[in-house]
Amino acid sequence: MLVLIKLCSILILLIGVQSNPDRRKNYSQLKSCDIGPLAEEIASYESVVKNIINYVVNGPFKGKTYDELSKFVDTFGARPSGSQILEDSIDYMIQLTKDEDINDIVTEELEVPHWMRGKEEITMIEPRIKNIDLLGLGQSVSTPSEGITAEVIVVNNFEELAEIPNEVVEGKIVLYDPIFTTYRETVVYRSQGAVRAAEKGAVASLVRSIAPFSINSPHTGSQNYNNNVKKIPTAAISIEDADLMRRLFNRGQKIILNITMTSTSETKTSRNTLIDLKGTLNPEKLVIVSGHIDSWDVGQGAMDDGGGLFVSWAVPVILKQLNMKPKRTIRSIFWTAEELGLIGAYAYEEKHRNESHNINFIMESDEGTFAPRGLAVGGSQKARCIIAEILKLFESINASTLVEEDSPGSDISVLIKTGIPGASLHNANEKYFWFHHTEGDTMNVESPEELDLCAAFWTAVAYIIADISADIPR
């Protein structure tokens, strides 16, 4: 299992955990999109889409997704991997589902990392005394009990660090100060920064929070050690403090920090949760909707990924209430331990590898549940053509955009890389990274109306894919 966790960490280095808008393109740029008679069949679902949207946005389900999410978040708050509160929240979701008269529920156990931060302090000693806000990065090692006191070197990128002689870096703290472009391009300084700094002899590394906006709010996240390189403490600081140190450094002023960080790390048992709404004609074939139930230990995990969890929970619930049974089975998966390395997704892929040919399509919401705009789709050109045709049915709610993404989603990327077609929710998440992995990830970020739209969209798309005559081609 430890090998599995290491492999998970390596994958995050390679693919990141968020989609990169710069790598996407509108579907209209692709050359051919002729799906023949299937287009007419898909168009016949127009009334189905209208009924689902009306039921969720204006009818009996109005506000329910938000209400249930708020009760969940208010009850449990943050749900770190391996914690008892995460396991209690899984039990809660199982009972909540049973209360909706859905009982085809299975949990699958797996080992997960349980990393807990302890004391975390940074004090700037020179050129003046100042407390620096920080959040240790996931799985960071501790400092000695007296902390680490050292001079800071500020760099923009890895190339700049590589040009500095090792003897200049030795014994110092490296601060990465990259300007946020896209998440995937910038997150490497969080995930790889400690290793790169340690290779040059640094005693600790810091990173400017991976975000475009801040109110002195550090953003945590995963980082990845290399067992062949000394592990050094690593943390994120706010954009404001990174800018301060950059200005001081550029003026030639010596910056000395004292960093004190403690943490513990162990292995625990957790569970993926699988909820099935059985298909009427081909129950062995699956259309999967999903979100991860764990969160970081800061904030309350309302946005990342409480919203995605609850719109995926809502799919079988809404269809059950409407007495709508698709031909294929719709499976809702609540992934565990996503934040520390897609652990739940790797375990699911390994356990179900011999059945993967039955996964018709897989979907995930893990980039916010703001107003839906469409889907980011990975798969063959014909698969994208079919999904594009389905999305035409959602023009009334401005959710008909298909964007091309080779590796959409976080957890589902583990399965998509094996050839399974899939998609992540494309939504109006321009402010997602304002709150991502911070204390600001609370219910205040969520909107009842936007959650209704997401739940209706997610449900209707999943139903159509699960019910049309053709499988989604690989």
Side-chain angles (χ1 to χ4, degrees), residues 52-103:
I52 292 174
I53 291 174
N54 186 59
Y55 185 78
V56 177
V57 174
N58 301 308
F61 213 81
K62 177 180 174 62
K64 184 174 176 65
T65 310
Y66 180 90
D67 290 344
E68 294 297 350
L69 172 61
S70 64
K71 284 188 285 186
F72 176 79
V73 168
D74 293 345
T75 299
F76 298 103
R79 307 169 297 280
S81 168
S83 67
Q84 183 57 49
I85 202 161
L86 173 61
E87 299 312 302
D88 292 343
S89 74
I90 292 171
D91 290 337
Y92 177 95
M93 292 302 299
I94 292 170
Q95 186 57 53
L96 185 66
T97 308
K98 289 180 177 179
D99 290 344
E100 296 292 338
D101 197 27
I102 298 174
N103 296 292

Side-chain angles (χ1 to χ4, degrees), residues 80-84 112-116 139 264-268 340:
S81 168
S83 67
Q84 183 57 49
V112 301
H114 180 49
W115 177 81
M116 291 185 65
Q139 308 265 47
T264 59
S265 184
E266 55 186 328
T267 299
K268 295 283 190 177
L340 284 176

Side-chain angles (χ1 to χ4, degrees), residues 251-267:
R251 293 183 193 126
Q253 293 179 267
K254 180 182 287 189
I255 307 167
I256 296 180
L257 302 180
N258 176 266
I259 301 177
T260 302
M261 295 172 58
T262 63
S263 63
T264 59
S265 184
E266 55 186 328
T267 299

Side-chain angles (χ1 to χ4, degrees), residues 1-9 111-113 139 340 343:
M1 181 55 68
L2 290 176
V3 172
L4 178 62
I5 292 172
K6 292 173 186 174
L7 289 173
C8 294
S9 298
E111 292 181 349
V112 301
Q139 308 265 47
L340 284 176
I343 312 298

Side-chain angles (χ1 to χ4, degrees), residues 38-53:
L38 186 58
E40 186 175 348
E41 179 188 344
I42 290 171
S44 72
Y45 283 86
E46 182 178 6
S47 62
V48 170
V49 170
K50 287 181 179 178
N51 287 341
I52 292 174
I53 291 174

Side-chain angles (χ1 to χ4, degrees), residues 21 177-187 208-213 239 430 433-434 436:
D177 184 39
I179 300 302
F180 185 91
T181 52
T182 65
Y183 188 80
R184 185 172 294 182
E185 288 178 353
T186 317
V187 76
R208 172 194 182 98
S209 284
I210 309 303
F213 175 81
I239 291 174
E430 293 84 2
F433 291 108
W434 290 24
H436 182 248

